[in-house]
Amino acid sequence: MPNVTVCARFRPLSSKERKDHGDSVYIHAIDAESFILKDEKDEDIAFSFDRVFYEKSQQADIYEFLALPIVGDAVKGINGTIITYGQTGAGKTYSMEGPNILESDEPKKGLLPRVVDGLFSCLRSSDDATKHTIKLSMVEIYMEKVRDLFDLSKDNIQIKEGRMQEILLFGVTEILLLDPAEALESLSCGIANRAVGETQMNMKSSRSHCVYMFTVQQESAKDRSVRTGKLILVDLAGSEKVEKTGAEGRVLEEAKTINKSLSALGNVINALTCGSLGKANHIPYRDSKLTRILQDALGGNSRTALLCCCSPSSSNISESLSTLRFAARAKHIKAAPCINRSEERNVEKSEAFSVPRNESCERILNKLRQRLDAEDVQLLEELFIQEGVFLDPNSTEGLESAYDDIILRTISSLQKAAEDLMFTVEKLRRENKALKSRISDTERYIALKAAGENANKFPDSLSLGVMIGFFILLAFIVYLVKLLFPTNKMR
Ligand SMILES: Nc1ncnc2c1ncn2[C@@H]1O[C@H](COP(=O)(O)OP(=O)(O)OP(=O)(O)O)[C@@H](O)[C@H]1O
């Protein structure tokens, strides 16, 4: 499987499209990977992708081709991202969630419920000696702000870069998922908090990009190694022509912001695919919140699948053409996925960071010394060393994010320590219970043994009594004999 899998999906014609424009469609299928599109000038354009899902394709086909390999990799510690892209009403949310996230009709279930089932079934079949957890976070990017869908009071989540240059959402709510049913309930709560507006194209049009983040962590009891895989699913807001949707006021502003972030996504893809070999190429990830969150997924350590959704109606040909051109461009992205494994924590602070870290730490610490108490600086210094914070010495952003980075790392290491403690407490509780039951077994045994010994003593005391009785009887007989036969009589 290539690192970036790009697929196109054509949904069936809607009843409105049939009514307004008849049954005419602009695509002519060649095979499962290619088709011909007849454009507005009646010219043929050939497209080919890793897979093309035509109108009759099933939700399960999409999961199996596009998501299943990524789910398997996430469990092995390889990050994965699945993105649905396309014009408003093209079928992105239908592909992602199904008609509804709690849909019970198996064939209609979307990618999300299938991914949840896939993750849990992979973990169920893994080694018993491995402790595993699945956590879920959900955010939406609405008007260039990242909102936590599990805690709406967190409406401007900051995006940070971690020690390994991974993207982190600072302070985002993470829900521990214990089983698939609970996972679907959580997803349903998050989805209910999404910003939805009405456009002429789709009455339930999503006006935000929705990002679902599953973190799968496995800790081996044998060698204490930890594998963490991040699986991100992104349901993008619809790309659309503003004039066609009749948007105005707030909806117009939303549409402009959506289009701006989708253009930023297009620019990132262009930069990733146009860069000359061996030459450092500037990738404009920071131009939008969307591209910043997807930085890992698009250029870095992730397997990515892009599902480009299209309406087959001739009335939407120009939007579909732009979606398919975007998809064709994305096919040329090269990513480099690798396993996120950390062995013993201290070992991981490798020499790779040692030289620049010392320089940059010193620079930042000097600045902090001017502003903070000596005690605070010492504390930060220790944290820098412990956490291996790496910052570019020439970066002006370094200082600003240093505090947040340290706090973030401290929180996550405290969380980890708390989890370890809970684990140890649980283990000790079980050991304590086992010891208590062994003690009561021993006490019972001792009591039984004592009773047994008393029982054994009984025959001895019995025989002593018998002997005493015997001697008393004998003495009594001698006394009687002497009484009956006095000595003179005998003579
Ligand atoms: N493959 C499909 N089979 C049957 N119905 C579909 C399919 N794809 C989409 N639909 C229907 O088309 C309509 C629009 O789809 P959907 O809401 O998924 O679009 P969208 O791309 O997410 O739009 P937006 O960007 O506005 O949220 C929905 O009523 C949905 O049920």
Side-chain angles (χ1 to χ4, degrees), residues 9-12 14 55 57 59 86-95 99 194 199 202 204-207 235-240 309:
R9 181 178 199 185
F10 295 94
R11 64 157 167 75
S14 69
E55 295 165 38
S57 60
Q59 298 276 67
Q87 129 190 56
T88 288
K92 300 180 293 295
T93 306
Y94 184 89
S95 303
R194 274 191 83 177
T199 70
N202 184 7
K204 282 188 173 176
S205 183
S206 327
R207 312 315 299 141
D235 184 2
L236 292 174
S239 56
E240 57 205 1
C309 301

Side-chain angles (χ1 to χ4, degrees), residues 38-270:
K38 218 169 241 321
D39 75 3
E40 285 151 322
K41 293 179 207 143
D42 221 20
E43 280 172 12
D44 287 348
I45 307 175
F47 280 98
S48 94
F49 297 106
D50 293 305
R51 184 59 57 95
V52 182
F53 299 101
Y54 298 104
E55 295 165 38
K56 292 207 169 100
S57 60
Q58 300 295 304
Q59 298 276 67
D61 301 338
I62 289 152
Y63 172 74
E64 270 155 38
F65 184 82
L66 190 120
L68 188 58
I70 294 185
V71 168
D73 280 348
V75 174
K76 289 182 204 146
I78 299 169
N79 293 345
T81 308
I82 301 166
I83 305 171
T84 54
Y85 179 96
Q87 129 190 56
T88 288
K92 300 180 293 295
T93 306
Y94 184 89
S95 303
M96 194 57 91
E97 296 170 16
N100 132 22
I101 190 70
L102 300 174
E103 176 65 51
S104 53
D105 189 5
E106 183 60 33
K108 287 188 182 159
K109 283 185 177 177
L111 287 171
L112 273 167
R114 291 173 197 272
V115 161
V116 165
D117 284 345
L119 285 175
F120 277 98
S121 72
C122 282
L123 292 179
R124 264 196 301 272
S125 57
S126 73
D127 179 3
D128 275 353
T130 307
K131 186 183 136 199
H132 50 247
T133 51
I134 307 181
K135 288 182 186 157
L136 171 68
S137 299
M138 264 181 82
V139 295
E140 72 173 345
I141 308 171
Y142 177 67
M143 300 294 277
E144 275 307 273
K145 276 191 173 179
V146 181
R147 282 209 311 175
D148 189 330
L149 288 173
F150 291 138
D151 181 352
L152 294 178
S153 68
K154 297 179 189 168
D155 60 359
N156 194 9
I157 300 254
Q158 298 302 303
I159 307 166
K160 299 280 166 200
E161 224 168 282
R163 186 172 15 156
M164 310 299 283
Q165 265 109 56
E166 75 276 22
I167 295 297
L168 304 166
L169 296 181
F170 188 68
V172 74
T173 308
E174 280 192 307
I175 293 189
L176 183 67
L177 304 178
L178 297 177
D179 57 53
E182 201 183 349
L184 290 183
E185 280 301 327
S186 301
L187 285 166
S188 161
C189 288
I191 289 167
N193 285 330
R194 274 191 83 177
V196 171
E198 289 182 9
T199 70
Q200 283 178 16
M201 298 289 296
N202 184 7
M203 293 295 279
K204 282 188 173 176
S205 183
S206 327
R207 312 315 299 141
S208 62
H209 308 301
C210 188
V211 183
Y212 308 86
M213 286 170 292
F214 295 90
T215 309
V216 187
Q217 193 171 66
Q218 297 190 76
E219 189 173 337
S220 160
K222 286 183 207 144
D223 56 4
R224 292 201 56 219
S225 64
V226 179
R227 273 189 307 194
T228 309
K230 208 162 63 166
L231 177 52
I232 303 183
L233 287 91
V234 188
D235 184 2
L236 292 174
S239 56
E240 57 205 1
K241 287 193 170 161
V242 172
E243 59 282 11
K244 201 165 178 177
T245 61
E248 50 188 35
R250 180 182 57 86
V251 179
L252 179 63
E253 281 313 305
E254 286 172 350
K256 281 184 184 166
T257 318
I258 292 166
N259 285 350
K260 218 169 133 195
S261 63
L262 291 173
S263 304
L265 181 60
N267 294 340
V268 163
I269 287 179
N270 281 351

